[in-house]
Amino acid sequence: MSDTDIRPGERAADLPPAADAQLRFIGRARTPFASRADCPRQGRLDGPDCALELDLVWADALEGLERFEHADVLYWLDRSRRDLVLQSPKSDGTLRGTFALRSPVRPNPIGLSRVRIVRREGARLIVRGLDCIDGTPLIDIKPEACAYTPEAPAKAADGA
Amino acid sequence: MSDTDIRPGERAADLPPAADAQLRFIGRARTPFASRADCPRQGRLDGPDCALELDLVWADALEGLERFEHADVLYWLDRSRRDLVLQSPKSDGTLRGTFALRSPVRPNPIGLSRVRIVRREGARLIVRGLDCIDGTPLIDIKPEACAYTPEAPAKAADGA
């Protein structure tokens, strides 16, 4: 099935072009998955080593990330259609809302993987747990929230 | 400190305008946090009820999301500068790479909160755990990954 097909029962919205904010790609994911058919549905923390290859301007932005065990990686699934409201992932007529799925088909096709940090090599971060095709554009990397304590002082709304 | 200031030691990159991909806002977050000073540094799952108010075209895209306990919410922190490579969150000269922080200052200022789903009211999803200012534009909602099993059949790379 191609990215432009629609399955029985699926509903597309009629939308103007997306124009609310602009992304800047920060690099590319290097994975052993050459095509969409090769990609797993979900990455595994014991999966193969992959690399987050950052553009050189962002190399130092990795400083200090290795002290975390896990990171959240955001990437852009640029081959996905963006207008489906209801989807039938099993192609059996059963419908789910787009926001009840982690399908790449969504109004903003941003993939999110929680990865295990293996090591840093300059502007490259070696990780496990990615599920995307080789060459996927990267948008952001954040230390995983549960292990993260903000460096800036707490504010009133953070409570005791 | 305003969003355009820079602290001692912080380094900004010289960048062309962001123009790699376009986002479409899907709605707005309604939170009790009127200003940035009111926001917690990190949302708490036992924090106040907040609403994800979707544009009506996306209302049905919430179908089936209530069967999950938690969701990942992505939002756009549109008041943040986007060019810092190294930051000093404690303003004490200690520097961290941008990707080692969950600061809103990043090349693509996308916030990510894991929230508890309280209930759905049509095009509104009531959640706890947001940390953003009232009116923040929403980009995406996904069921939390650990509790999620893809609906589509497994592929070879998903393993046994």
Side-chain angles (χ1 to χ4, degrees), chain A residues 11 16 20-25 36 39 41 60-61 82 96 99 102 106 108 110 114 139-143 151 153 155 158, chain B residues 11 16 20-25 36 39 41 60-61 82 96 99 102 106 108 110 114 139-143 151 153 155 158:
Chain A
R11 193 206 309 160
D20 291 320
Q22 298 261 6
L23 295 177
R24 175 195 311 286
F25 298 155
R36 280 187 55 162
C39 295
R41 296 265 177 220
D60 288 349
R82 302 175 61 170
R96 298 270 184 225
F99 300 133
R102 291 181 71 96
R106 45 208 319 115
N108 296 294
I110 296 174
R114 185 126 321 157
I139 300 172
D140 200 8
I141 310 170
K142 303 174 191 288
E151 304 254 346
K155 297 194 288 182
D158 287 300
Chain B
R11 195 206 306 160
D20 291 320
Q22 298 262 5
L23 295 177
R24 176 196 309 289
F25 298 155
R36 280 185 57 161
C39 295
R41 296 265 177 220
D60 288 348
R82 303 174 62 170
R96 298 268 185 227
F99 300 133
R102 292 182 71 96
R106 46 207 320 115
N108 296 293
I110 295 174
R114 185 125 323 156
I139 300 172
D140 200 8
I141 310 169
K142 302 175 191 290
E151 305 252 348
K155 297 192 290 182
D158 288 299

Short mmCIF file of all heavy atoms in Angstrom, two decimals, chain A residues 11 16 20-25 36 39 41 60-61 82 96 99 102 106 108 110 114 139-143 151 153 155 158, chain B residues 11 16 20-25 36 39 41 60-61 82 96 99 102 106 108 110 114 139-143 151 153 155 158:
data_model
loop_
_atom_site.label_atom_id
_atom_site.label_comp_id
_atom_site.label_asym_id
_atom_site.label_seq_id
_atom_site.Cartn_x
_atom_site.Cartn_y
_atom_site.Cartn_z
N ARG A 11 -10.99 8.37 6.97
CA ARG A 11 -11.51 9.69 6.63
C ARG A 11 -10.37 10.71 6.58
O ARG A 11 -9.59 10.81 7.52
CB ARG A 11 -12.55 10.15 7.64
CG ARG A 11 -13.33 11.38 7.12
CD ARG A 11 -13.91 12.23 8.21
NE ARG A 11 -14.67 11.46 9.17
CZ ARG A 11 -14.94 11.91 10.39
NH1 ARG A 11 -14.50 13.09 10.80
NH2 ARG A 11 -15.64 11.16 11.21
N PRO A 16 -5.99 23.38 4.48
CA PRO A 16 -5.09 24.28 3.75
C PRO A 16 -3.64 23.82 3.97
O PRO A 16 -3.38 22.98 4.83
CB PRO A 16 -5.34 25.64 4.42
CG PRO A 16 -5.79 25.31 5.80
CD PRO A 16 -6.52 23.98 5.70
N ASP A 20 2.06 27.02 9.97
CA ASP A 20 2.02 27.68 11.28
C ASP A 20 3.39 27.89 11.89
O ASP A 20 3.57 28.80 12.70
CB ASP A 20 1.15 26.86 12.25
CG ASP A 20 -0.31 26.90 11.86
OD1 ASP A 20 -0.78 27.98 11.46
OD2 ASP A 20 -0.98 25.86 11.93
N ALA A 21 4.35 27.03 11.59
CA ALA A 21 5.71 27.18 12.14
C ALA A 21 6.66 26.38 11.27
O ALA A 21 6.25 25.46 10.56
CB ALA A 21 5.77 26.70 13.59
N GLN A 22 7.92 26.73 11.34
CA GLN A 22 8.93 26.14 10.45
C GLN A 22 9.94 25.33 11.25
O GLN A 22 10.45 25.81 12.27
CB GLN A 22 9.70 27.28 9.77
CG GLN A 22 8.84 28.16 8.89
CD GLN A 22 8.96 27.79 7.43
OE1 GLN A 22 9.61 26.79 7.10
NE2 GLN A 22 8.34 28.55 6.56
N LEU A 23 10.25 24.15 10.76
CA LEU A 23 11.26 23.33 11.39
C LEU A 23 12.60 23.50 10.70
O LEU A 23 12.67 23.81 9.51
CB LEU A 23 10.87 21.84 11.31
CG LEU A 23 9.62 21.44 12.09
CD1 LEU A 23 9.32 19.97 11.85
CD2 LEU A 23 9.80 21.70 13.59
N ARG A 24 13.67 23.25 11.48
CA ARG A 24 15.03 23.21 10.96
C ARG A 24 15.57 21.82 11.28
O ARG A 24 15.64 21.42 12.44
CB ARG A 24 15.87 24.25 11.70
CG ARG A 24 17.34 24.24 11.36
CD ARG A 24 18.15 25.05 12.39
NE ARG A 24 17.60 26.37 12.66
CZ ARG A 24 17.67 27.41 11.83
NH1 ARG A 24 18.27 27.28 10.67
NH2 ARG A 24 17.14 28.56 12.16
N PHE A 25 15.94 21.05 10.28
CA PHE A 25 16.51 19.73 10.55
C PHE A 25 17.89 19.90 11.18
O PHE A 25 18.68 20.76 10.75
CB PHE A 25 16.61 18.89 9.27
CG PHE A 25 15.27 18.60 8.63
CD1 PHE A 25 15.18 18.33 7.27
CD2 PHE A 25 14.11 18.58 9.38
CE1 PHE A 25 13.95 18.06 6.67
CE2 PHE A 25 12.87 18.31 8.79
CZ PHE A 25 12.79 18.06 7.43
N ARG A 36 10.97 1.31 4.19
CA ARG A 36 9.94 1.23 5.23
C ARG A 36 9.60 -0.20 5.59
O ARG A 36 9.28 -0.50 6.74
CB ARG A 36 8.69 1.97 4.77
CG ARG A 36 8.91 3.46 4.98
CD ARG A 36 7.69 4.27 4.71
NE ARG A 36 6.52 3.87 5.46
CZ ARG A 36 5.47 4.66 5.62
NH1 ARG A 36 5.46 5.86 5.11
NH2 ARG A 36 4.42 4.25 6.29
N CYS A 39 11.83 -1.45 8.41
CA CYS A 39 11.73 -0.82 9.73
C CYS A 39 10.84 -1.65 10.65
O CYS A 39 9.82 -2.18 10.22
CB CYS A 39 11.10 0.56 9.63
SG CYS A 39 12.07 1.74 8.71
N ARG A 41 7.97 -1.95 13.59
CA ARG A 41 6.84 -1.07 13.95
C ARG A 41 7.22 -0.20 15.14
O ARG A 41 6.77 0.93 15.25
CB ARG A 41 5.62 -1.89 14.35
CG ARG A 41 5.06 -2.73 13.25
CD ARG A 41 3.92 -2.04 12.51
NE ARG A 41 3.48 -2.89 11.42
CZ ARG A 41 3.13 -2.44 10.22
NH1 ARG A 41 3.13 -1.16 9.95
NH2 ARG A 41 2.76 -3.27 9.29
N ASP A 60 28.49 20.51 19.64
CA ASP A 60 28.67 20.79 21.06
C ASP A 60 27.36 20.78 21.84
O ASP A 60 27.37 20.76 23.08
CB ASP A 60 29.37 22.14 21.25
CG ASP A 60 30.84 22.05 20.84
OD1 ASP A 60 31.34 20.94 20.63
OD2 ASP A 60 31.48 23.12 20.74
N ALA A 61 26.25 20.83 21.13
CA ALA A 61 24.95 20.77 21.82
C ALA A 61 24.71 19.39 22.44
O ALA A 61 23.77 19.20 23.21
CB ALA A 61 23.82 21.14 20.86
N ARG A 82 -0.77 13.58 5.70
CA ARG A 82 -0.98 14.34 6.93
C ARG A 82 -2.44 14.68 7.19
O ARG A 82 -2.73 15.47 8.08
CB ARG A 82 -0.15 15.64 6.86
CG ARG A 82 1.32 15.38 6.65
CD ARG A 82 2.12 16.65 6.46
NE ARG A 82 2.06 17.54 7.61
CZ ARG A 82 2.82 18.62 7.76
NH1 ARG A 82 3.69 18.94 6.82
NH2 ARG A 82 2.72 19.39 8.82
N ARG A 96 -9.72 3.83 14.03
CA ARG A 96 -9.15 4.45 15.22
C ARG A 96 -8.86 5.91 14.88
O ARG A 96 -8.48 6.21 13.74
CB ARG A 96 -7.81 3.81 15.60
CG ARG A 96 -7.89 2.38 15.95
CD ARG A 96 -8.12 2.21 17.44
NE ARG A 96 -8.08 0.80 17.78
CZ ARG A 96 -8.97 0.20 18.57
NH1 ARG A 96 -9.96 0.90 19.08
NH2 ARG A 96 -8.87 -1.06 18.84
N PHE A 99 -4.95 10.23 16.71
CA PHE A 99 -4.20 10.49 17.94
C PHE A 99 -4.24 9.30 18.91
O PHE A 99 -3.60 9.34 19.97
CB PHE A 99 -4.69 11.77 18.62
CG PHE A 99 -4.53 12.98 17.75
CD1 PHE A 99 -5.56 13.90 17.58
CD2 PHE A 99 -3.34 13.21 17.07
CE1 PHE A 99 -5.42 15.00 16.76
CE2 PHE A 99 -3.18 14.32 16.24
CZ PHE A 99 -4.22 15.22 16.09
N ARG A 102 0.15 5.43 16.97
CA ARG A 102 1.51 5.98 16.80
C ARG A 102 1.95 5.82 15.34
O ARG A 102 3.13 5.87 15.04
CB ARG A 102 2.49 5.31 17.78
CG ARG A 102 2.21 5.71 19.25
CD ARG A 102 3.18 5.10 20.25
NE ARG A 102 4.51 5.66 20.18
CZ ARG A 102 4.99 6.64 20.95
NH1 ARG A 102 4.22 7.20 21.88
NH2 ARG A 102 6.23 7.05 20.82
N ARG A 106 -0.08 11.42 10.41
CA ARG A 106 -0.64 12.32 11.42
C ARG A 106 -0.42 13.74 10.91
O ARG A 106 0.41 13.98 10.03
CB ARG A 106 -0.01 12.08 12.79
CG ARG A 106 1.50 11.94 12.81
CD ARG A 106 2.01 11.07 13.97
NE ARG A 106 1.31 11.31 15.19
CZ ARG A 106 0.54 10.39 15.80
NH1 ARG A 106 0.45 9.16 15.31
NH2 ARG A 106 -0.13 10.69 16.89
N ASN A 108 1.08 16.32 11.92
CA ASN A 108 2.50 16.67 11.93
C ASN A 108 3.28 15.37 12.10
O ASN A 108 3.34 14.83 13.21
CB ASN A 108 2.81 17.65 13.06
CG ASN A 108 2.09 18.97 12.87
OD1 ASN A 108 2.38 19.70 11.94
ND2 ASN A 108 1.11 19.23 13.73
N ILE A 110 5.67 13.67 13.11
CA ILE A 110 6.86 13.66 13.96
C ILE A 110 6.92 12.31 14.65
O ILE A 110 5.96 11.91 15.31
CB ILE A 110 6.81 14.80 14.99
CG1 ILE A 110 6.84 16.15 14.29
CG2 ILE A 110 7.96 14.68 16.00
CD1 ILE A 110 6.65 17.34 15.20
N ARG A 114 12.00 6.64 22.34
CA ARG A 114 12.84 6.65 23.53
C ARG A 114 14.01 5.73 23.23
O ARG A 114 13.80 4.55 22.95
CB ARG A 114 12.02 6.11 24.70
CG ARG A 114 12.74 6.18 26.01
CD ARG A 114 11.93 6.91 27.06
NE ARG A 114 11.24 8.05 26.46
CZ ARG A 114 10.15 8.62 26.95
NH1 ARG A 114 9.59 8.14 28.02
NH2 ARG A 114 9.61 9.65 26.37
N ILE A 139 14.95 16.18 14.34
CA ILE A 139 14.41 17.47 14.78
C ILE A 139 14.91 17.86 16.17
O ILE A 139 15.17 19.02 16.45
CB ILE A 139 12.86 17.40 14.82
CG1 ILE A 139 12.29 17.10 13.45
CG2 ILE A 139 12.28 18.70 15.35
CD1 ILE A 139 10.79 16.83 13.48
N ASP A 140 15.01 16.88 17.07
CA ASP A 140 15.36 17.22 18.45
C ASP A 140 15.84 15.98 19.20
O ASP A 140 15.49 14.85 18.82
CB ASP A 140 14.14 17.83 19.18
CG ASP A 140 14.51 18.65 20.41
OD1 ASP A 140 15.71 18.90 20.65
OD2 ASP A 140 13.57 19.05 21.14
N ILE A 141 16.65 16.21 20.24
CA ILE A 141 17.07 15.18 21.17
C ILE A 141 16.96 15.79 22.56
O ILE A 141 17.42 16.92 22.78
CB ILE A 141 18.55 14.77 20.95
CG1 ILE A 141 18.82 14.45 19.47
CG2 ILE A 141 18.92 13.59 21.84
CD1 ILE A 141 20.31 14.27 19.15
N LYS A 142 16.33 15.07 23.48
CA LYS A 142 16.18 15.56 24.86
C LYS A 142 16.55 14.44 25.81
O LYS A 142 16.22 13.28 25.54
CB LYS A 142 14.70 15.90 25.17
CG LYS A 142 14.04 16.90 24.28
CD LYS A 142 12.54 16.97 24.66
CE LYS A 142 11.73 17.75 23.65
NZ LYS A 142 11.96 19.18 23.68
N PRO A 143 17.16 14.76 26.96
CA PRO A 143 17.34 13.71 27.96
C PRO A 143 15.96 13.22 28.42
O PRO A 143 15.01 14.00 28.46
CB PRO A 143 18.08 14.40 29.10
CG PRO A 143 17.95 15.86 28.86
CD PRO A 143 17.66 16.06 27.41
N GLU A 151 17.95 21.98 35.61
CA GLU A 151 19.14 22.61 36.18
C GLU A 151 18.78 23.97 36.77
O GLU A 151 19.38 24.40 37.75
CB GLU A 151 20.19 22.80 35.08
CG GLU A 151 20.56 21.53 34.36
CD GLU A 151 21.95 21.03 34.77
OE1 GLU A 151 22.70 21.78 35.39
OE2 GLU A 151 22.26 19.87 34.45
N PRO A 153 16.64 26.79 38.80
CA PRO A 153 15.97 26.66 40.10
C PRO A 153 14.48 26.35 39.93
O PRO A 153 13.85 26.79 38.96
CB PRO A 153 16.15 28.04 40.75
CG PRO A 153 17.23 28.72 39.97
CD PRO A 153 17.24 28.11 38.61
N LYS A 155 10.43 26.54 40.45
CA LYS A 155 9.54 27.69 40.56
C LYS A 155 8.36 27.30 41.43
O LYS A 155 8.20 26.14 41.81
CB LYS A 155 9.09 28.13 39.16
CG LYS A 155 10.28 28.60 38.30
CD LYS A 155 9.82 29.34 37.06
CE LYS A 155 9.20 28.40 36.05
NZ LYS A 155 8.81 29.11 34.81
N ASP A 158 6.26 24.25 40.79
CA ASP A 158 6.88 22.93 40.91
C ASP A 158 6.56 22.28 42.25
O ASP A 158 6.87 21.11 42.46
CB ASP A 158 8.40 23.03 40.72
CG ASP A 158 8.77 23.29 39.27
OD1 ASP A 158 8.42 22.45 38.42
OD2 ASP A 158 9.37 24.33 38.97
N ARG B 11 26.68 30.06 23.97
CA ARG B 11 27.10 30.22 22.58
C ARG B 11 25.92 30.07 21.64
O ARG B 11 25.19 29.08 21.69
CB ARG B 11 28.17 29.20 22.21
CG ARG B 11 28.88 29.60 20.89
CD ARG B 11 29.45 28.42 20.15
NE ARG B 11 30.32 27.62 20.99
CZ ARG B 11 30.63 26.37 20.71
NH1 ARG B 11 30.14 25.76 19.62
NH2 ARG B 11 31.42 25.68 21.50
N PRO B 16 20.80 30.19 9.05
CA PRO B 16 19.82 30.74 8.11
C PRO B 16 18.41 30.51 8.68
O PRO B 16 18.25 29.78 9.65
CB PRO B 16 20.04 29.90 6.84
CG PRO B 16 20.58 28.60 7.34
CD PRO B 16 21.37 28.91 8.60
N ASP B 20 12.90 23.84 6.67
CA ASP B 20 12.99 22.45 6.19
C ASP B 20 11.65 21.74 6.13
O ASP B 20 11.48 20.81 5.35
CB ASP B 20 13.95 21.66 7.08
CG ASP B 20 15.40 22.12 6.90
OD1 ASP B 20 15.78 22.38 5.75
OD2 ASP B 20 16.12 22.23 7.90
N ALA B 21 10.73 22.12 7.01
CA ALA B 21 9.40 21.49 7.01
C ALA B 21 8.44 22.42 7.74
O ALA B 21 8.86 23.28 8.51
CB ALA B 21 9.45 20.13 7.69
N GLN B 22 7.18 22.24 7.46
CA GLN B 22 6.15 23.14 7.98
C GLN B 22 5.24 22.41 8.94
O GLN B 22 4.75 21.32 8.64
CB GLN B 22 5.28 23.63 6.81
CG GLN B 22 6.02 24.41 5.78
CD GLN B 22 5.85 25.91 5.97
OE1 GLN B 22 5.25 26.34 6.95
NE2 GLN B 22 6.40 26.68 5.06
N LEU B 23 4.96 23.05 10.06
CA LEU B 23 4.02 22.49 11.03
C LEU B 23 2.62 23.08 10.84
O LEU B 23 2.47 24.22 10.38
CB LEU B 23 4.48 22.79 12.46
CG LEU B 23 5.79 22.14 12.90
CD1 LEU B 23 6.14 22.60 14.30
CD2 LEU B 23 5.67 20.62 12.84
N ARG B 24 1.63 22.28 11.26
CA ARG B 24 0.25 22.75 11.31
C ARG B 24 -0.22 22.61 12.76
O ARG B 24 -0.21 21.50 13.31
CB ARG B 24 -0.61 21.83 10.43
CG ARG B 24 -2.09 22.12 10.45
CD ARG B 24 -2.88 20.93 9.88
NE ARG B 24 -2.40 20.48 8.58
CZ ARG B 24 -2.55 21.16 7.43
NH1 ARG B 24 -3.19 22.29 7.42
NH2 ARG B 24 -2.06 20.68 6.31
N PHE B 25 -0.60 23.69 13.40
CA PHE B 25 -1.10 23.57 14.77
C PHE B 25 -2.45 22.86 14.75
O PHE B 25 -3.28 23.11 13.88
CB PHE B 25 -1.23 24.95 15.42
CG PHE B 25 0.09 25.68 15.55
CD1 PHE B 25 0.13 27.07 15.62
CD2 PHE B 25 1.30 25.00 15.61
CE1 PHE B 25 1.34 27.75 15.74
CE2 PHE B 25 2.51 25.66 15.73
CZ PHE B 25 2.53 27.05 15.79
N ARG B 36 4.99 32.69 31.82
CA ARG B 36 6.08 31.72 31.97
C ARG B 36 6.50 31.58 33.43
O ARG B 36 6.90 30.49 33.85
CB ARG B 36 7.26 32.13 31.10
CG ARG B 36 6.99 31.71 29.67
CD ARG B 36 8.13 31.95 28.76
NE ARG B 36 9.36 31.30 29.18
CZ ARG B 36 10.39 31.07 28.37
NH1 ARG B 36 10.30 31.42 27.11
NH2 ARG B 36 11.49 30.50 28.81
N CYS B 39 4.52 28.85 35.15
CA CYS B 39 4.66 27.44 34.71
C CYS B 39 5.64 26.69 35.61
O CYS B 39 6.66 27.25 36.01
CB CYS B 39 5.21 27.39 33.29
SG CYS B 39 4.13 28.08 32.04
N ARG B 41 8.67 23.95 36.13
CA ARG B 41 9.77 23.54 35.24
C ARG B 41 9.42 22.23 34.56
O ARG B 41 9.84 21.97 33.44
CB ARG B 41 11.05 23.33 36.03
CG ARG B 41 11.59 24.57 36.67
CD ARG B 41 12.64 25.26 35.81
NE ARG B 41 13.06 26.48 36.47
CZ ARG B 41 13.30 27.63 35.85
NH1 ARG B 41 13.19 27.73 34.55
NH2 ARG B 41 13.66 28.68 36.53
N ASP B 60 -12.56 13.89 15.89
CA ASP B 60 -12.68 12.43 15.81
C ASP B 60 -11.34 11.71 15.85
O ASP B 60 -11.28 10.50 16.05
CB ASP B 60 -13.44 12.03 14.54
CG ASP B 60 -14.92 12.35 14.65
OD1 ASP B 60 -15.38 12.67 15.77
OD2 ASP B 60 -15.61 12.30 13.62
N ALA B 61 -10.25 12.46 15.66
CA ALA B 61 -8.92 11.85 15.74
C ALA B 61 -8.58 11.43 17.17
O ALA B 61 -7.59 10.74 17.41
CB ALA B 61 -7.87 12.81 15.18
N ARG B 82 16.16 30.08 19.20
CA ARG B 82 16.40 28.76 18.61
C ARG B 82 17.85 28.52 18.22
O ARG B 82 18.13 27.55 17.54
CB ARG B 82 15.50 28.60 17.36
CG ARG B 82 14.03 28.78 17.67
CD ARG B 82 13.16 28.77 16.42
NE ARG B 82 13.23 27.50 15.70
CZ ARG B 82 12.44 27.16 14.70
NH1 ARG B 82 11.49 28.00 14.31
NH2 ARG B 82 12.57 26.00 14.09
N ARG B 96 26.02 23.60 29.49
CA ARG B 96 25.49 22.31 29.06
C ARG B 96 25.12 22.43 27.59
O ARG B 96 24.67 23.49 27.16
CB ARG B 96 24.21 21.96 29.82
CG ARG B 96 24.38 21.82 31.30
CD ARG B 96 24.68 20.38 31.65
NE ARG B 96 24.73 20.22 33.09
CZ ARG B 96 25.69 19.57 33.73
NH1 ARG B 96 26.67 19.00 33.07
NH2 ARG B 96 25.66 19.46 35.03
N PHE B 99 21.12 19.83 23.78
CA PHE B 99 20.41 18.54 23.74
C PHE B 99 20.58 17.74 25.04
O PHE B 99 20.01 16.66 25.17
CB PHE B 99 20.87 17.72 22.54
CG PHE B 99 20.61 18.41 21.22
CD1 PHE B 99 21.58 18.49 20.24
CD2 PHE B 99 19.38 19.01 20.98
CE1 PHE B 99 21.34 19.15 19.05
CE2 PHE B 99 19.12 19.67 19.78
CZ PHE B 99 20.11 19.73 18.81
N ARG B 102 16.27 19.98 28.86
CA ARG B 102 14.90 20.02 28.37
C ARG B 102 14.38 21.46 28.35
O ARG B 102 13.16 21.69 28.35
CB ARG B 102 14.00 19.09 29.21
CG ARG B 102 14.34 17.60 28.99
CD ARG B 102 13.45 16.65 29.77
NE ARG B 102 12.09 16.58 29.29
CZ ARG B 102 11.61 15.65 28.45
NH1 ARG B 102 12.40 14.70 28.00
NH2 ARG B 102 10.36 15.68 28.08
N ARG B 106 15.86 25.68 22.03
CA ARG B 106 16.42 24.59 21.23
C ARG B 106 16.11 24.86 19.77
O ARG B 106 15.24 25.66 19.46
CB ARG B 106 15.88 23.24 21.70
CG ARG B 106 14.40 23.16 21.93
CD ARG B 106 13.98 22.08 22.97
NE ARG B 106 14.74 20.88 22.85
CZ ARG B 106 15.58 20.42 23.82
NH1 ARG B 106 15.71 21.07 24.95
NH2 ARG B 106 16.27 19.33 23.64
N ASN B 108 14.54 23.44 17.44
CA ASN B 108 13.11 23.31 17.18
C ASN B 108 12.42 23.28 18.54
O ASN B 108 12.45 22.26 19.22
CB ASN B 108 12.81 22.04 16.39
CG ASN B 108 13.44 22.09 15.01
OD1 ASN B 108 13.06 22.89 14.18
ND2 ASN B 108 14.46 21.25 14.80
N ILE B 110 10.17 22.41 20.49
CA ILE B 110 9.03 21.51 20.69
C ILE B 110 9.07 21.00 22.12
O ILE B 110 10.08 20.45 22.55
CB ILE B 110 9.09 20.33 19.70
CG1 ILE B 110 8.94 20.85 18.27
CG2 ILE B 110 8.00 19.30 20.02
CD1 ILE B 110 9.12 19.76 17.20
N ARG B 114 4.69 13.93 29.03
CA ARG B 114 3.93 12.71 29.23
C ARG B 114 2.80 13.08 30.18
O ARG B 114 3.06 13.55 31.28
CB ARG B 114 4.83 11.67 29.88
CG ARG B 114 4.21 10.32 30.05
CD ARG B 114 5.02 9.23 29.41
NE ARG B 114 5.62 9.69 28.17
CZ ARG B 114 6.71 9.16 27.62
NH1 ARG B 114 7.33 8.17 28.22
NH2 ARG B 114 7.17 9.62 26.48
N ILE B 139 0.84 20.37 18.69
CA ILE B 139 1.34 19.79 17.46
C ILE B 139 0.91 18.34 17.29
O ILE B 139 0.61 17.88 16.19
CB ILE B 139 2.89 19.83 17.43
CG1 ILE B 139 3.40 21.27 17.53
CG2 ILE B 139 3.43 19.17 16.18
CD1 ILE B 139 4.91 21.34 17.71
N ASP B 140 0.91 17.58 18.39
CA ASP B 140 0.61 16.15 18.25
C ASP B 140 0.24 15.55 19.61
O ASP B 140 0.63 16.09 20.65
CB ASP B 140 1.84 15.41 17.69
CG ASP B 140 1.52 14.05 17.06
OD1 ASP B 140 0.32 13.71 16.92
OD2 ASP B 140 2.47 13.33 16.72
N ILE B 141 -0.50 14.46 19.55
CA ILE B 141 -0.83 13.65 20.73
C ILE B 141 -0.66 12.20 20.30
O ILE B 141 -1.17 11.81 19.24
CB ILE B 141 -2.30 13.86 21.19
CG1 ILE B 141 -2.63 15.35 21.32
CG2 ILE B 141 -2.57 13.12 22.50
CD1 ILE B 141 -4.13 15.62 21.52
N LYS B 142 0.04 11.42 21.11
CA LYS B 142 0.25 9.99 20.81
C LYS B 142 -0.02 9.18 22.07
O LYS B 142 0.35 9.62 23.16
CB LYS B 142 1.71 9.73 20.45
CG LYS B 142 2.29 10.49 19.29
CD LYS B 142 3.78 10.17 19.19
CE LYS B 142 4.52 11.08 18.23
NZ LYS B 142 4.17 10.87 16.83
N PRO B 143 -0.58 7.98 21.93
CA PRO B 143 -0.65 7.12 23.12
C PRO B 143 0.77 6.80 23.59
O PRO B 143 1.69 6.68 22.77
CB PRO B 143 -1.37 5.87 22.63
CG PRO B 143 -1.34 5.92 21.14
CD PRO B 143 -1.12 7.34 20.73
N GLU B 151 -1.26 -1.64 16.00
CA GLU B 151 -2.44 -2.34 15.52
C GLU B 151 -2.12 -3.11 14.24
O GLU B 151 -2.67 -4.17 13.99
CB GLU B 151 -3.57 -1.35 15.23
CG GLU B 151 -3.91 -0.47 16.43
CD GLU B 151 -5.24 -0.85 17.05
OE1 GLU B 151 -5.98 -1.61 16.42
OE2 GLU B 151 -5.52 -0.37 18.16
N PRO B 153 0.01 -5.42 11.62
CA PRO B 153 0.76 -6.65 11.88
C PRO B 153 2.25 -6.37 12.09
O PRO B 153 2.80 -5.45 11.49
CB PRO B 153 0.55 -7.48 10.61
CG PRO B 153 -0.60 -6.87 9.89
CD PRO B 153 -0.66 -5.42 10.31
N LYS B 155 6.31 -6.71 11.72
CA LYS B 155 7.15 -6.92 10.56
C LYS B 155 8.40 -7.69 10.99
O LYS B 155 8.65 -7.88 12.18
CB LYS B 155 7.51 -5.59 9.91
CG LYS B 155 6.25 -4.86 9.40
CD LYS B 155 6.59 -3.68 8.50
CE LYS B 155 7.21 -2.54 9.26
NZ LYS B 155 7.50 -1.38 8.36
N ASP B 158 10.60 -6.52 13.79
CA ASP B 158 10.05 -6.49 15.15
C ASP B 158 10.46 -7.72 15.95
O ASP B 158 10.22 -7.78 17.15
CB ASP B 158 8.52 -6.39 15.11
CG ASP B 158 8.07 -4.99 14.67
OD1 ASP B 158 8.42 -4.04 15.37
OD2 ASP B 158 7.39 -4.88 13.64
#
